[in-house]
Amino acid sequence: MGLRQCGRARLLMLGGLASLLLLAALYGSGSPSQPLVLFFSPWRIEKQLYKLDLSWPKFPELFTGQTFCVAVDHIHGLVYVGQRGNDVPKVLVFSEEGYFLQAWNTTLEMPHGIFVLSTENDSSVWITDVGTGKHGHTIKEYSPSGKLRQVIGTPGVAGSGTNPIQLDQPAEIFVEHTGDIYIVDGDGGMNNRLLKLTPDLKTLWLRGENGSGTAQFRIPHSVTVDSFGRVWVADRGNERIQAFDKTTGEWLGSWSNCFIEDGPYSVRLTPDEKYIFVAQLNINRVLILAAPPVGSIRDCVVVDTIQLAASVRPHLLDISMKSGAVYVAEIGAQQVQKYVPLD
């Protein structure tokens, strides 16, 4: 057995012993009338779940700026990357196989989050712009070729209004196939809120204000929706993930025990909704969490981790709903890396 395997086995043994000791402390040593019953987590793993795809992309030198965000169009096999910098294309488009296809140089100042809504006949690319210039404080919808379709917010003007919608450094967006829109706003501005909008931009509900209490936020940074009707928000500054009912906006619960070392920067579900992926920028790590089934949110459980090199700084990520591949935008390394499931 190699040193790494030996260390992993020893950690598993120690983890099992620690669990036994904790349960004994909580429930006592047991008795004939009340025997000690031990429960073991079905999420404990003994093998790596994902591996780095060293062949993606084919020409990594095409990344010429800071790569802040990435989104996958799994139906058409495309990967969109948002990057920042002077005189660099703000959006790069690759195939899922890693071939470069095209670049946009459009009315984007500082792309932060990116989301793709795709159907068999069309796709739309939504990008949040946290710039403070004449194009910032907005979310822009583009065609796959980079043609601007609509703008949410008032370009160049920060605000908190809901009729019409005003934004201040919006962090990320998620759009359902029904056209309903979820926005986490903002990335360090005056707003700390989660909004749900209709396709014609009417506010259905709004949750959040600056704070650390229930349904409050300190830099809501990423948002996704699962098939059980739960909205998951990476509450970065509060070092927790909060969950809400997508229909009513009701608070369902939160996780903080997984984020002692660093707050969550992203939140994305695997195609089977078995796992939730979270990037932790300051400790250069990607967490793989157990996604709870319908019902209680319960406690956060770490299933596996992907430890990246120092100063890589993973910011946001996305997952292909077809292949399960995970794409991580790394602002420190100025690249996007692809991880593929081993099973």
Side-chain angles (χ1 to χ4, degrees), residues 155-333:
V157 179
S160 301
T162 58
N163 186 25
I165 294 294
Q166 291 181 300
L167 305 167
D168 186 3
Q169 300 180 52
E172 202 179 59
I173 182 172
F174 183 96
V175 185
E176 291 191 282
H177 282 280
T178 60
D180 288 342
I181 298 168
Y182 303 83
I183 298 170
V184 280
D185 175 41
D187 186 45
M190 70 177 79
N191 301 325
N192 284 274
R193 59 185 185 172
L194 165 68
L195 302 99
K196 180 177 182 179
L197 310 179
T198 63
D200 59 353
L201 307 185
K202 299 294 189 299
T203 302
L204 289 171
W205 50 258
L206 184 155
R207 295 293 179 269
E209 59 182 1
N210 186 38
S212 302
T214 298
Q216 295 180 329
F217 299 108
R218 288 178 55 226
I219 309 182
H221 200 259
S222 181
V223 59
T224 196
V225 181
D226 68 20
S227 62
F228 298 118
R230 298 176 299 196
V231 184
W232 298 88
V233 177
D235 187 3
R236 193 188 95 188
N238 283 320
E239 298 185 338
R240 64 185 179 183
I241 287 176
Q242 297 197 73
F244 300 82
D245 182 275
K246 80 169 191 178
T247 302
T248 64
E250 176 189 0
W251 183 83
L252 300 177
S254 66
W255 287 343
S256 59
N257 58 299
C258 289
F259 310 112
I260 304 301
E261 298 176 80
D262 191 22
Y265 275 69
S266 65
V267 56
R268 284 290 184 269
L269 288 130
T270 53
D272 58 7
E273 297 192 346
K274 186 176 180 180
Y275 303 122
I276 294 177
F277 272 71
V278 175
Q280 292 182 294
L281 180 142
N282 296 301
I283 57 175
N284 306 293
R285 186 168 67 185
V286 175
L287 290 179
I288 304 174
L289 310 178
V294 64
S296 173
I297 300 300
R298 301 182 182 176
D299 290 332
C300 180
V301 176
V302 177
V303 177
D304 198 5
T305 62
I306 300 173
Q307 186 61 55
L308 308 178
S311 303
V312 165
R313 297 172 66 81
H315 186 245
L316 291 171
L317 58 83
D318 201 18
I319 302 177
S320 171
M321 292 295 105
K322 181 178 181 180
S323 68
V326 181
Y327 297 84
V328 183
E330 302 166 348
I331 61 176

Side-chain angles (χ1 to χ4, degrees), residues 48 81 131 151-152 195 242 298 337-338 340:
Q48 183 180 352
V81 178
V151 177
I152 303 176
L195 302 99
Q242 297 197 73
R298 301 182 182 176
Q337 292 199 107
K338 178 183 179 181
V340 294

